Amino acid sequence: MSDYIPKPEHKFTFGLWTVGNTGRDPFGSPVREAKSPVELVHLLAEVGAYGVNFHDDDLIPVDATPSERDRIVRQFKAALTETGLCVPMATTNLFGDPIFKDGAFTSNDPKVRAYALQKTMNAIDLGVELGAKVYVFWGGREGTETDASKNPISAIIRTREAMNFLCDYVLDRKYDLKFALEAKPNEPRSDIYNATAGHMLALIATLDHPEMVGVNPEVAHEHMAGLNFTHGVAQALEAGKLFHIDLNDQAFGRYDQDFRFGAVNLKSAFFLVKLLEDNGYNGSRHFDAHAYRTEDYEGVKDFARGCIRTYLILKEKAARFNADKEIQALLAEINADDGSMASFCGTYTSTKAAALKAQSFDRQAISQRGLGYERLDQLTIELLLGIR
Ligand code: DIG
Ligand code: MN
Ligand code: MN
């Protein structure tokens, strides 16, 4: 058993808005006093985080003067130096200000679309100044309550134009930065465009610089869409597009709960960690989540430590799964290949096609084979329950 102590190489990160969440919700006011970015950096250092992320507005108030901005950045940099935390990711708040009430890049008002580009360029400058290498775009307001208001194709075109413009901005400034698009199906808008990580992968393929752009899938958001999060992450990984990930948890069929990682669906959290670790994912393990509204700041630290510990425990369980002789023997049996189909595999040739069309298959015999998945899944459950 390891000690589940976080190390820098684990790359556990939190946004300022996560541990800084004051507990406000649509039906209640804050329950925790607000902490400054510097205080939050020290809190994250105390729980063993590797890095801290932020929206522009989390760090610099939107109406701050240039000298106030410089002071805040100077103090933040000092806290980073003092604690050793880094800033792997930054992002723009394009959803809080009333100006974005009908979206930012997809707004029907060209002034709003232009302001959103301006705000994002300034936020990119800030993120790069503090060391970010990944820039996330979450279009929380890029949606609608009525499709009478906007042609959904216009929304796609406007999003593409904004992303192309901002990719060119990064190239023009010679920044070492890549973009990660984060999807969510709804909330705060009734329907949000580009609703899942899959939609984002399709959009990326249509951009001028697709090589600069990947995805930032979030557990809660794909669960809100009723999807298997691990499958979505696998698709992004296989495409070389998993540039970042937002870890948390979520009961299906609920509003965005942003629960502590592993707090609800332990089994799916296990398969996600196994996928990331088996495939050598080298990005941040970013917890985009917050403590229950019932908690004080000691509870917030419990929340952050719980995210980290659960990830590390599941990482160890994944190693145990891969080393478990009974499980691995069963998987070998399930995936046995007698080589008889080898001549049909690989790239197409007309000879292969003709031979395959002439091949006979005993459907009855093949369909009778028991696959042992009940035993395999029970062994997995027992491993997760700690008796293997
Ligand atoms: C919500 O899940 C979004 C915002 O918190 C932020 O823009 C992004 C970064 O992780 N996730
Ligand atoms: Mn969320
Ligand atoms: Mn998120």
Side-chain angles (χ1 to χ4, degrees):
M1 288 285 198
S2 65
D3 51 16
Y4 313 120
I5 303 294
K7 299 180 179 66
E9 59 264 30
H10 296 138
K11 294 192 177 178
F12 291 126
T13 65
F14 292 80
L16 284 175
W17 68 91
T18 67
V19 289
N21 180 296
T22 56
R24 178 200 304 276
D25 69 23
F27 305 98
S29 49
V31 295
R32 295 182 286 266
E33 80 283 359
K35 284 189 178 292
S36 71
V38 167
E39 289 172 318
L40 294 170
V41 166
H42 284 280
L43 184 153
L44 286 173
E46 185 183 339
V47 300
Y50 155 78
V52 58
N53 309 311
F54 56 82
H55 300 86
D56 49 350
D57 299 352
D58 299 336
L59 187 61
I60 313 287
V62 69
D63 294 320
T65 64
S67 61
E68 283 166 347
R69 178 204 185 278
D70 293 347
R71 174 184 54 77
I72 292 168
V73 168
R74 193 170 52 250
Q75 289 170 344
F76 193 69
K77 282 181 178 176
L80 295 175
T81 304
E82 207 175 316
T83 59
L85 263 69
C86 60
V87 176
M89 180 271 274
T91 183
T92 325
N93 186 320
L94 293 176
F95 46 86
D97 192 309
I99 193 173
F100 298 126
K101 64 187 178 186
D102 185 33
F105 300 140
T106 65
S107 169
N108 277 329
D109 185 339
K111 290 190 186 66
V112 174
R113 298 201 297 269
Y115 171 65
L117 284 175
Q118 179 196 79
K119 192 172 196 284
T120 305
M121 286 190 286
N122 289 332
I124 286 174
D125 293 346
L126 175 65
V128 168
E129 184 180 347
L130 285 159
K133 292 285 185 284
V134 176
Y135 202 81
V136 163
F137 290 80
W138 173 58
R141 296 280 178 196
E142 310 298 5
T144 185
E145 286 68 45
T146 168
D147 280 324
S149 66
K150 201 169 296 170
N151 174 350
I153 291 178
S154 303
I156 295 168
I157 292 168
R158 289 171 184 168
T159 304
R160 180 182 304 121
E161 284 175 355
M163 296 316 298
N164 286 338
F165 184 96
L166 292 165
C167 280
D168 281 329
Y169 177 70
V170 165
L171 291 169
D172 186 28
R173 300 294 292 247
K174 295 185 175 44
Y175 287 153
D176 174 16
L177 193 69
K178 51 189 185 181
F179 290 169
L181 308 186
E182 179 174 344
K184 187 177 180 181
N186 59 68
E187 195 202 342
R189 299 305 296 265
S190 176
D191 292 291
I192 298 180
Y193 300 118
N194 295 307
T196 71
H199 289 81
M200 290 299 190
L201 289 172
L203 175 74
I204 289 167
T206 71
L207 299 179
D208 291 347
H209 303 285
E211 72 288 352
M212 291 175 64
V213 188
V215 291
N216 175 42
E218 177 173 314
V219 177
H221 299 176
E222 302 294 306
H223 281 192
M224 285 169 72
L227 299 174
N228 180 314
F229 183 65
T230 301
H231 295 181
V233 172
Q235 182 131 27
L237 262 177
E238 198 276 337
K241 290 293 183 185
L242 188 67
F243 287 8
H244 198 264
I245 193 166
D246 274 2
L247 300 171
N248 54 25
D249 212 345
Q250 174 79 31
F252 280 76
R254 299 284 201 293
Y255 61 91
D256 190 3
Q257 294 176 305
D258 289 339
F259 281 153
R260 184 181 77 254
F261 181 63
V264 182
N265 306 289
L266 260 185
K267 192 175 175 186
S268 59
F270 165 71
F271 287 119
L272 171 67
V273 171
K274 186 172 183 309
L275 178 80
L276 294 175
E277 297 302 323
D278 286 357
N279 290 278
Y281 168 66
N282 192 31
S284 295
R285 275 77 170 158
H286 175 237
F287 298 109
D288 184 8
H290 55 76
Y292 302 141
R293 189 165 181 267
T294 52
E295 303 307 290
D296 60 10
Y297 273 103
E298 286 312 305
V300 168
K301 293 177 203 172
D302 292 338
F303 147 79
R305 291 189 186 102
C307 286
I308 289 172
R309 281 179 59 82
T310 298
Y311 188 100
L312 290 175
I313 292 166
L314 293 176
K315 180 171 188 260
E316 183 181 75
K317 294 287 185 187
R320 291 172 70 85
F321 181 99
N322 292 339
D324 187 295
K325 288 188 174 33
E326 192 173 351
I327 288 174
Q328 294 307 313
L330 188 48
L331 284 171
E333 201 182 303
I334 289 165
N335 292 291
D337 179 352
D338 62 8
S340 61
M341 294 293 112
S343 61
F344 302 132
C345 299
T347 48
Y348 174 88
T349 65
S350 54
T351 311
K352 271 184 193 177
L356 183 50
K357 289 179 84 172
Q359 175 73 19
S360 61
F361 293 92
D362 182 343
R363 293 196 339 273
Q364 180 71 11
I366 294 170
S367 68
Q368 288 307 306
R369 184 183 165 210
L371 296 176
Y373 289 179
E374 281 289 349
R375 188 161 139 249
L376 176 64
D377 192 68
Q378 180 61 24
L379 289 171
T380 305
I381 292 292
E382 293 184 8
L383 182 138
L384 292 175
L385 291 174
I387 63 167
R388 295 189 70 80

